[in-house]
Structure formats: structure tokens, C-alpha cells
Amino acid sequence: MGDILEITTRPRHHHVFYKFTANAINFEIKAEGNAALGISNKPEQNCEFLIGIGHNNRTWIKKVRGRGVYRETIDTPNILSATEYRRFWVSWYGDIIRLGVNGNSKPIVTFSSRTAELKYVTFLALDDVRNTVHWRIEVPPYIEKTYVMRPISGGDPYWVPYDRTTDFPDNAYIGGHENENLYIIRAEHNGSLTPGKYMTSKGMGYIPWGGEANSKLTFEVLCGFNFTWIPCKSTDTIPVGAVVGGYSEDPGKEKLYIGRSKYLEHLIPGKIQPSHKVCYIPYEGREIGLDKFEILVVPDDGKRCVNKFLIPGALIDHRIVFREEEQMNMDIEHAVNFEEYAGFLNPEVDG
């Protein structure tokens, strides 16, 4: 599960930035006055965007850097407390920054960011020198940044059985966000082994099957960290290294892969069934099929198949005819211009 980072901030303190690649975080605040978050694409003193919480009884998001200052503001009296922690979430998917409270999926304030690659967050206190802010921030375990998609020793995927009599695995993989971190699970259901999500707030797993989000108390949890997410436009070609999460209930036991899709304000993991050409996610009691999704992949740049070279996220036609034995012995680095396809090679490991 995610680690809890506890920090204290005061006005005029030097900005300390934390890098988040999951595009969303959960956090709690205890403060008598106000609190603020800065979000930026670079760890610089002047943040790209600033979120003020409880500042003069108002909460707002504003653009700081660039031409002009644009702000979205709402009245929020007593949103913070000096005696207890109050829970919030913030996300920045799809060029929109959203701030929400108390596990409510509807944000209290939104702002159109139109800025790519927001990933650095700093935690602040504004104005009054007496304003001390205590934070509890849920973060994934630290993962060293990797610049090439090569296997990382010890991080390969594995599944851990779980029920309410056992401890939830410490190294469970965070696969999405729905007002809290979501973890990837799989469970048996009507002859299938189906991937889905686990919500710690409910203590329940959910898998998409038969038009419903089926709740599960006994399931397996995906662990490890050597993963990356690849946008997938079609299930006609599954990327090399795609993580198999289970199988369908059909007689042929079709392989089910692990995917995730953006839905409303959330990023929800579920199952990809190639013959259906969609990713199914469990949400609010329903199974929802979405044709835009990402697929979970274990990086491996050395695999190929007949007449085509496959690298994670890209299918590259083999334009020169080789005899089969020549093709199988050929080094893939000689056949593919990796700079040309650099957009497919994600240098970050999602957290």
C-alpha cells in the first residue's frame, strides 16, 4: 500500500517538491489558518498552478506562471480544523485540475490547466507567520526513475492471496485512483479469473463481469514494481510483455489482460478482453466498457514475433524480407530506430 508522508509547513519556508507520476494524490490537513499546494511541470520556486484551501474562508485554483493570472474560487468557511485532520484529494487528468474533499467523487473546484507533464507538487502555508500546517500525504513507495525499458531486478509481477484474515501486501501495485489509490486484483467468478480493483476505504475488491461490478472478499493482489502503462488503440495487437491477469469463462479460456481507463474524475483498472476490443472497469455497481484505455506491460525490448518486431507500445512492420532463421537471429536494435519511436518508450515508472 502507499506510504504516509507526514510533514509540517509554515509561511515563507523554502519550497520542497515531490514527484508524483500517478496524476493524483490523497492527503489530510490539520491547520488553524489555510493551506496550499503548488503543482508544476518543473521544480521551480514559481509554480505553474497554486491551490489555496481555506484562504480567507475561500478555496481556489489559480494559474501563476505565464500571461495574466486566472482563478476559480468558491466559498469554503470552516473547511480546515486546528484540532483534527480533514481529508482531501487532488487530480490533474486530461488538462483539468480538480480538488475534492472527504472521499466525495465530485470536485469542489476545477481549473482547466492546458499544461502537459504536471508532476511536481509542493505543500505550503500562506500569509500569517503563525499559520502552521500539518500534512499527511499518501504516496506510493519510492521507485528509482529508469530511462530505458529494461527489466528491473526483483520487480517482476506476482500475485498474493488475500482475505480479511491476512494483512494487505505492503508492495501491492497502485494501478489507479478513485478518490483514493486503487490496487489491482483478480478473483474467480463463474468459471473465469477476472482482474479488477481493490478499494481500501471499503475493504472490498470489485471485478467487472456480466454487466455488474461484483464485490469480492477473497482475491489475489498484484505485487511488484517493474511495470509501465502503454496506450492501446486496438486489441488486435497486444504489446509484448502485457500482463495476463486471468481468463474468461468461455470454453477457450480467452486470456484477459490488465487495463485501466479514465472515467469521470477517475482512473480505474479492470480487464481487457481482446475479442471484445474494450477495457471493462467496475464502477458504482456496474461493468463499463471503454474503447480508450492503457494496458499494463512488463518492459522487455528483446522479443519479436514472425514477420513483425514488437516492442512495448509499438507494432513495427518488418519491411525487408528475411529468411526465418535470419530474422530470428537478428538483433532488434539493428532493425528498429529507437529514436524514431521514442514516444512509445515511457522513461518513467508509474507510481
Side-chain angles (χ1 to χ4, degrees), residues 118-317:
L118 294 175
K119 62 180 69 173
Y120 294 96
V121 180
T122 185
F123 302 90
L124 312 167
L126 300 175
D127 301 339
D128 193 337
V129 294
R130 297 168 296 178
N131 181 30
T132 299
V133 183
H134 303 279
W135 304 80
R136 291 176 180 165
I137 306 149
E138 187 174 345
V139 297
Y142 177 74
I143 298 175
E144 185 70 31
K145 183 169 71 172
T146 177
Y147 289 93
V148 294
M149 294 183 67
R150 299 185 184 279
I152 302 172
S153 177
D156 291 339
Y158 62 98
W159 297 91
V160 175
Y162 172 79
D163 59 36
R164 289 186 172 179
T165 65
T166 60
D167 293 331
F168 197 78
D170 288 334
N171 53 348
Y173 182 70
I174 298 173
H177 189 273
E178 187 181 328
N179 306 323
E180 62 181 278
N181 287 333
L182 298 178
Y183 299 88
I184 295 171
I185 67 162
R186 66 181 183 184
E188 295 180 351
H189 189 81
N190 286 354
S192 73
L193 182 61
T194 301
K197 69 181 182 183
Y198 174 74
M199 304 183 71
T200 55
S201 63
K202 300 181 182 295
M204 190 80 69
Y206 299 90
I207 62 167
W209 194 95
E212 298 179 353
N214 300 273
S215 58
K216 296 290 180 179
L217 291 175
T218 302
F219 45 82
E220 293 178 295
V221 182
L222 180 65
C223 297
F225 56 82
N226 185 21
F227 305 109
T228 191
W229 292 96
I230 297 295
C232 201
K233 296 180 180 179
S234 170
T235 55
D236 291 337
T237 303
I238 298 296
V240 166
V243 178
V244 178
Y247 48 81
S248 71
E249 71 282 2
D250 303 322
K253 298 296 182 184
E254 181 181 6
K255 289 181 180 179
L256 301 178
Y257 297 90
I258 296 170
R260 68 179 183 183
S261 290
K262 293 179 181 178
Y263 187 71
L264 300 179
E265 315 295 336
H266 315 300
L267 187 61
I268 303 175
K271 69 178 182 184
I272 296 173
Q273 189 163 355
S275 63
H276 292 197
K277 301 185 183 299
V278 296
C279 177
Y280 292 104
I281 62 169
Y283 181 73
E284 296 292 336
R286 296 180 295 150
E287 176 187 45
I288 300 171
L290 300 167
D291 59 6
K292 292 183 179 179
F293 52 87
E294 296 175 304
I295 189 168
L296 189 65
V297 171
V298 175
D300 188 340
D301 63 1
K303 293 186 178 180
R304 55 181 73 81
C305 70
V306 177
N307 294 329
K308 293 181 185 292
F309 289 102
L310 289 175
I311 61 174
L315 175 63
I316 303 166
D317 289 334

